[in-house]
């Protein structure tokens, strides 16, 4: 009996050693090779595929089930959700109903699909088959950017252009779906020829629909024509909106003595849409009162603050705002928003500085810039509140210029010394809000230097743009953080004097002449303004001309 137990024990050890050979050595290199798709059923290009066919995708290695099930897109969408299963290196797709006759189907496996080690596909993979005798073969290509950088794994929807399309976007399923790759690129293939609305959609809930209240979108400049076979494919650029694209909706309204605050959802509010004439204050007797001031605070861009000396404790008012819009063009459901507000508590909060120019981390300014200080609410200055200290024995007094609501500019005297460290000082004992509250800090200071004109360099070259097109080119220095907004009407030669630095840039066609890149909106639907990313880093050296540079904005 003892010998048998020893034999059994040795056999068990041998089995363990055999299994151990298949395991990576402790601390050994991890698998970093991305998976590949080696075969599909039906194969790409198959025609006359049976209507009850089952789809299969074979990978080069075992894949992660969760990532694979979230990365399957079938165009046109099936009438019912198919059954999806993962068996080691195989993805099985079983339609719940028979496929349509004489129809091209496009299956996209998104680039988020990963193996069991977390390595993702290098790019999304698409194959097509047809239940008829031919396969549609037009295509659309593009790149999706988010804040100027390629956005990977971003869903892209394509809707065939039909009457009433823009009014039905929130309840329609897209005709074709794909996903961007590692460099933000996408390619919609096997399309029927025609015009399409192509939209990048965040699709957080994975329902293949546009949810206007929570999902960001990337809108096109116009409808896009699918390129027929044999023609060169144009690569379109799409830029993700920075805020969601829903309508502006009033959430809350609160009142304190002297001020009413109304909070909205749906995007950052455009301060230019707020003027005193757009605000109506109706008291309990039905009289209309004109507000003293209206403003949007940069740190709370979803709130509208209305000031009036009629706002006293325990009084009630009906507030009406007309023509409100967001930075990205969203509007309210109706042109007039109304709510009833009772004034409850007095304002005893001190104002605070929320922003300035030059911004924190940048001390260099150019002659054409102004020193700017933005408070959390409108404030009043008494004489000699702001000065620039040149050295220990000399200083000049500055006069604040109200730029609207809560932002104040202080012009820089052209006689101030260049390339010298200067100090901006604000005596906040001479600053109060509209209710007499002083800031808690008695002194606000920062240092800055004015660039010398002799230290500038030149950038010259040629701009290619459509005749009459208003192009706004924005260059931002990587080191000194200087920003230049350069306006160009149509194409032609340019000669810009810039401070030495390495610059990255972007440009857009300012069609509505508001000096802002409008990325479009879904409700009401508006196309985005054409925009371009300046791919190269532009180096400017002092007293040196960088010549022959070309911008192609077409």
């Amino acid at each position: 009996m003892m010998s048998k137990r020893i034999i059994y024990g040795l056999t068990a050890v041998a089995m363990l050693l055999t299994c151990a050979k298949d395991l990576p050595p402790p601390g050994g290199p991890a698998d970093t090779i991305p998976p590949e798709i080696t075969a599909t059923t039906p194969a790409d290009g198959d025609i006359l595929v049976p209507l009850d066919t089952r789809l299969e995708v074979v990978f080069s290695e075992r894949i992660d089930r969760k990532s694979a099930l979230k990365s399957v897109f079938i165009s046109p969408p099936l009438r019912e959700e198919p059954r999806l299963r993962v068996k080691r290196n195989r993805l099985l797709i079983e339609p719940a109903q028979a496929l349509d006759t004489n129809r091209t189907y496009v299956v996209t496996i998104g680039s988020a699909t990963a193996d069991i080690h977390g390595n993702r596909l290098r790019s999304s993979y698409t194959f097509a088959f047809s239940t008829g005798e031919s396969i549609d073969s037009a295509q659309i290509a593009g790149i999706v950017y988010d804040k100027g950088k390629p956005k990977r794994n971003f869903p892209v929807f394509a809707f065939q252009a039909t009457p009433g399309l823009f009014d039905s976007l929130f309840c329609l399923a897209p005709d074709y779906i794909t996903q961007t790759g590692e460099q933000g690129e996408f390619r919609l293939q096997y399309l029927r020829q025609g015009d399409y609305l192509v939209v990048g959609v965040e699709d957080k809930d994975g329902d293949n629909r546009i949810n206007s209240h929570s999902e960001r979108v990337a809108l096109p400049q116009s409808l896009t024509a699918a390129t027929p076979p044999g023609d060169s494919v144009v690569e379109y650029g799409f830029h993700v909106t920075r805020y969601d694209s829903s309508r502006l909706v009033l959430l809350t309204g609160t009142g304190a003595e002297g001020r009413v605050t109304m909070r909205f959802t749906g995007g950052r509010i455009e301060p230019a849409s707020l003027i005193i004439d757009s605000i109506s204050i109706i008291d309990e007797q039905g009289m209309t009162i004109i507000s003293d001031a209206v403003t949007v605070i940069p740190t709370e861009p979803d709130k509208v603050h209305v000031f009036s000396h009629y706002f006293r404790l325990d009084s009630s008012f009906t507030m009406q705002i007309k023509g409100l819009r967001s930075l990205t063009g969203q509007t309210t459901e109706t042109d007039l928003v109304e709510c009833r507000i009772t004034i409850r508590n007095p304002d005893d909060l001190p104002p605070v500085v929320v922003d300035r120019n030059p911004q924190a981390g940048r001390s260099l300014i150019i002659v054409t810039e102004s020193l700017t200080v933005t408070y959390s609410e409108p404030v009043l200055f008494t004489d000699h509140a702001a000065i620039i200290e040149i050295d220990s024995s000399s200083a000049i007094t500055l006069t604040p210029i109200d730029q609207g609501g809560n932002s104040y500019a202080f012009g820089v005297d052209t006689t101030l010394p260049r390339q010298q460290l200067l100090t901006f000082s604000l005596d906040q004992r001479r600053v109060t809000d509209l209710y007499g509250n002083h800031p808690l800090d008695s002194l606000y200071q920062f240092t800055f230097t004015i660039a010398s004109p002799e230290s500038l360099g030149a950038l010259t070259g040629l701009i290619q743009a459509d005749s009459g097109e208003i192009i706004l080119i924005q260059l931002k220095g990587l080191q000194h953080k200087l920003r230049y907004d350069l306006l160009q009407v149509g194409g032609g030669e340019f000669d810009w004097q810039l401070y030495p630095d390495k610059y990255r840039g972007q440009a857009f066609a300012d069609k509505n002449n508001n000096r802002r890149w409008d990325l479009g909106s879904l409700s009401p639907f508006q196309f985005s303004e054409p925009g371009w990313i300046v791919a190269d880093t532009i180096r400017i050296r002092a007293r040196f001309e960088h010549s022959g540079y070309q911008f192609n904005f077409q």
Side-chain angles (χ1 to χ4, degrees), residues 126-137:
T126 298
F127 67 97
F129 61 91
S130 177
T131 55
E133 297 183 351
S134 63
I135 292 182
D136 299 327
S137 54

Side-chain angles (χ1 to χ4, degrees), residues 241-277:
T241 55
R242 291 163 178 79
Y243 321 109
D244 70 38
S245 57
S246 62
R247 287 186 182 274
L248 290 174
V249 178
L250 179 64
L251 286 181
T252 60
T254 57
E257 190 168 14
R259 176 172 66 181
V260 163
T261 300
M262 303 170 71
R263 183 185 176 194
F264 291 80
T265 181
R268 297 191 175 204
I269 294 168
E270 167 61 85
S273 68
L274 282 173
I275 57 176
I276 290 180
D277 291 343

Side-chain angles (χ1 to χ4, degrees), residues 84-104:
L84 304 178
R85 291 179 295 161
V86 173
K87 292 186 176 181
R88 296 184 65 83
N89 68 327
R90 296 175 181 269
L91 171 63
L92 307 176
I93 306 169
E94 185 175 348
Q97 293 185 11
L99 302 176
D100 293 337
T101 58
N102 197 28
R103 190 66 191 258
T104 296

Side-chain angles (χ1 to χ4, degrees), residues 200-453:
V201 181
E202 200 166 27
D203 199 20
K204 293 179 180 179
D205 51 13
D207 64 349
N208 295 340
R209 295 290 194 280
I210 299 175
N211 184 335
S212 67
H213 298 287
S214 61
E215 296 170 350
R216 297 186 302 157
V217 296
L219 297 175
Q221 303 165 17
S222 64
L223 290 175
T224 302
T227 304
D231 291 359
S232 58
V233 179
V234 178
E235 194 171 74
Y236 296 92
F238 297 77
H239 298 268
V240 179
T241 55
R242 291 163 178 79
Y243 321 109
D244 70 38
S245 57
S246 62
R247 287 186 182 274
L248 290 174
V249 178
L250 179 64
L251 286 181
T252 60
T254 57
E257 190 168 14
R259 176 172 66 181
V260 163
T261 300
M262 303 170 71
R263 183 185 176 194
F264 291 80
T265 181
R268 297 191 175 204
I269 294 168
E270 167 61 85
S273 68
L274 282 173
I275 57 176
I276 290 180
D277 291 343
S278 68
I279 308 292
S280 296
I281 306 169
I282 304 172
D283 66 12
E284 293 174 295
Q285 285 74 43
M287 292 184 59
T288 300
I289 302 165
I290 302 299
S291 61
D292 297 335
V294 295
T295 188
V296 175
I297 300 172
T299 54
E300 298 178 327
D302 59 342
K303 296 179 181 178
V304 173
H305 299 280
V306 183
F307 299 89
S308 173
H309 60 279
Y310 287 99
F311 293 152
R312 301 186 183 97
L313 282 178
D314 298 323
S315 58
S316 296
F317 300 89
T318 298
M319 305 295 302
Q320 294 180 341
I321 299 183
K322 187 177 181 180
L324 192 67
R325 67 176 184 272
S326 74
L327 284 171
T328 49
Q330 284 70 258
T331 59
T332 52
E333 186 72 31
T334 59
D335 191 48
L336 186 69
V337 175
E338 183 176 284
C339 67
R340 185 77 174 170
I341 293 178
T342 300
I343 308 303
R344 297 297 186 189
N345 298 307
D347 177 9
D348 56 1
L349 297 176
V352 295
V353 176
V354 295
D355 198 10
R356 67 175 172 90
N357 182 62
Q359 293 182 341
R362 172 163 83 89
S363 60
L364 186 71
I365 69 171
I366 54 180
V367 177
T368 56
E369 283 188 282
S370 294
L371 301 173
T372 304
V373 175
T374 302
Y375 279 90
S376 57
E377 56 184 301
V379 296
L380 303 172
F381 297 88
T382 58
D383 293 340
H384 307 289
I387 64 171
I388 290 179
E389 299 176 14
I390 299 174
D391 51 40
S392 58
S393 60
S394 60
I396 64 169
T397 302
L398 301 176
T399 301
I401 302 171
D402 188 348
Q403 292 190 313
N406 56 341
S407 185
Y408 305 88
F410 303 86
V412 176
D413 195 315
T414 57
T415 62
L416 286 172
R418 311 292 191 260
Q419 303 296 119
Q420 178 178 327
L421 192 65
L422 306 174
T423 302
F424 173 82
S425 295
L426 191 57
D427 183 356
Q428 299 201 109
R429 294 170 299 182
R430 299 175 181 269
V431 179
T432 63
D433 63 14
L434 299 183
Y435 319 104
N437 301 311
H438 293 279
L440 294 178
D441 297 327
S442 60
L443 183 66
Y444 180 75
Q445 285 185 324
F446 59 83
T447 58
F448 66 97
T449 301
I450 302 175
S452 170

